[in-house]
Amino acid sequence: MNDSSVILDSADAPQVATDETIISIDDLSFSYDHGKTNTLKNISLEIPAGKVTAFIGPSGCGKSTLLRCLNRMNDLVDTAAVTSGQIRILNQDINAPDVDAIELRKHVGMVFQKYNPFPKSIYENVVYGLRVQGIKDKNILDQAVEQSLQKSALWKEVKDRLHDSALGLSGGQQQRLCIARTIAVKPQIVLMDEPCSALDPIATARIEELIAELREEFTIVIVTHNMQQATRVSDQTAFFYLGELIEYDATSTIFGNPSKKQTEDYVSGRFG
């Protein structure tokens, strides 16, 4: 295996300083139908480490597809493929033949739109990824459970029922548990695909508060249909339309002084 792939094959991936580029997307096009049509068209952007980057745009614009490209979840779709361009994470081409998608996902975790705890105990949900990695030491697992649940603002609520079923938790608690499960394996990047869309306003506020805390330790990329949420939680915002990146800038600029009329029309509610 060549040296360039070591970053994504090692548990000791280097830390990237805040504001340095951690994800670089260069002229990326992506297709779900063997390249007949492109869902994403010539996307180029650089995502900084230690920040929250939001992807916004109307339904079907490609924002969730791009998010799934970042940890190769689209590999699970037989007809899907990158048709041109490149994604580099930690300076590694993630679609290179010698990069294993499972190894990649240790560094690039994902929280889905619909909370999806496993039908196991709260404890076993959190340690699932660690067990997959072959970690069996109870002290290590116990510590990971407490730390991850603390970071996901759930520890105080569940510490006395860790061996109860995760399915007995409320929706908001289940989503925070899924976040705990994601961060337990200590990724450097956390992808969130509309993590609040199935939650009530109170649970949504808790998740947004949690994102603000997690940005201290993780690079976060969030897809959201809620523009107010983007303004509250993100540092950078990318606006997509019909598979194209229309504008990418500081969130304050995108919502306060966008350079493209299409962006202005969308964030002002004129379409979408």
Side-chain angles (χ1 to χ4, degrees):
M1 187 169 292
N2 64 42
D3 291 341
S4 66
S5 66
V6 169
I7 288 176
L8 295 179
D9 292 328
S10 169
D12 300 317
Q15 295 299 313
V16 179
T18 298
D19 290 329
E20 287 187 10
T21 297
I22 190 170
I23 302 172
S24 180
I25 303 169
D26 182 28
D27 199 30
L28 183 78
S29 293
F30 180 87
S31 169
Y32 279 117
D33 56 5
H34 297 294
K36 294 175 184 175
T37 58
N38 281 323
T39 303
L40 297 174
K41 305 167 189 175
N42 308 111
I43 305 294
S44 294
L45 74 159
E46 295 188 345
I47 294 174
K51 301 290 185 182
V52 179
T53 298
F55 291 172
I56 65 168
S59 297
C61 69
K63 56 189 186 292
S64 289
T65 293
L66 180 59
L67 194 77
R68 290 194 295 269
C69 285
L70 300 182
N71 69 344
R72 288 177 50 181
M73 286 297 293
N74 290 318
D75 286 12
L76 303 176
V77 181
D78 290 339
T79 60
V82 170
T83 57
S84 66
Q86 188 180 74
I87 300 173
R88 298 184 71 83
I89 294 179
L90 297 168
N91 204 33
Q92 168 68 49
D93 177 1
I94 67 169
N95 291 298
D98 54 357
V99 172
D100 184 277
I102 303 300
E103 293 294 328
L104 169 67
R105 292 174 196 141
K106 292 179 184 178
H107 299 285
V108 188
M110 190 163 194
V111 177
F112 296 90
Q113 179 175 1
K114 175 65 177 171
Y115 40 86
N116 60 340
F118 301 135
K120 300 173 178 285
S121 70
I122 295 167
Y123 183 100
E124 287 300 326
N125 264 271
V126 178
V127 302
Y128 179 83
L130 298 172
R131 290 200 189 280
V132 169
Q133 293 179 19
I135 297 172
K136 299 178 181 179
D137 187 303
K138 187 176 185 300
N139 290 330
I140 294 175
L141 297 177
D142 288 351
Q143 185 178 32
V145 168
E146 182 170 352
Q147 288 180 346
S148 300
L149 290 173
Q150 289 272 18
K151 290 175 183 176
S152 61
L154 194 56
W155 174 251
K156 290 182 181 179
E157 298 169 45
V158 303
K159 63 181 180 179
D160 297 322
R161 48 181 177 137
L162 294 177
H163 300 290
D164 291 355
S165 172
L167 302 182
L169 298 174
S170 70
Q173 288 174 324
Q174 288 188 33
Q175 189 65 302
R176 279 182 282 148
L177 177 62
C178 292
I179 292 172
R181 184 177 68 197
T182 298
I183 65 178
V185 296
K186 298 183 178 179
Q188 287 186 262
I189 299 164
V190 176
L191 310 177
M192 296 185 170
D193 191 2
E194 299 198 25
C196 302
S197 65
L199 303 179
D200 62 48
I202 294 174
T204 293
R206 294 294 300 274
I207 297 294
E208 290 183 2
E209 291 169 2
L210 180 55
I211 291 170
E213 294 170 8
L214 292 176
R215 78 199 312 161
E216 299 297 321
E217 190 171 346
F218 305 96
T219 298
I220 298 173
V221 184
I222 179 172
V223 166
T224 178
H225 67 281
N226 185 325
M227 287 185 284
Q228 289 73 31
Q229 181 173 80
T231 64
R232 290 191 295 263
V233 305
S234 69
D235 303 289
Q236 304 280 128
T237 295
F239 168 55
F240 296 88
Y241 185 67
L242 296 179
E244 297 182 355
L245 175 61
I246 305 302
E247 189 168 353
Y248 176 52
D249 211 324
T251 296
S252 57
T253 300
I254 292 292
F255 287 93
N257 188 30
S259 62
K260 303 287 180 68
K261 186 178 187 303
Q262 207 168 6
T263 309
E264 182 180 0
D265 288 347
Y266 182 74
V267 300
S268 65
R270 293 194 186 107
F271 82 95

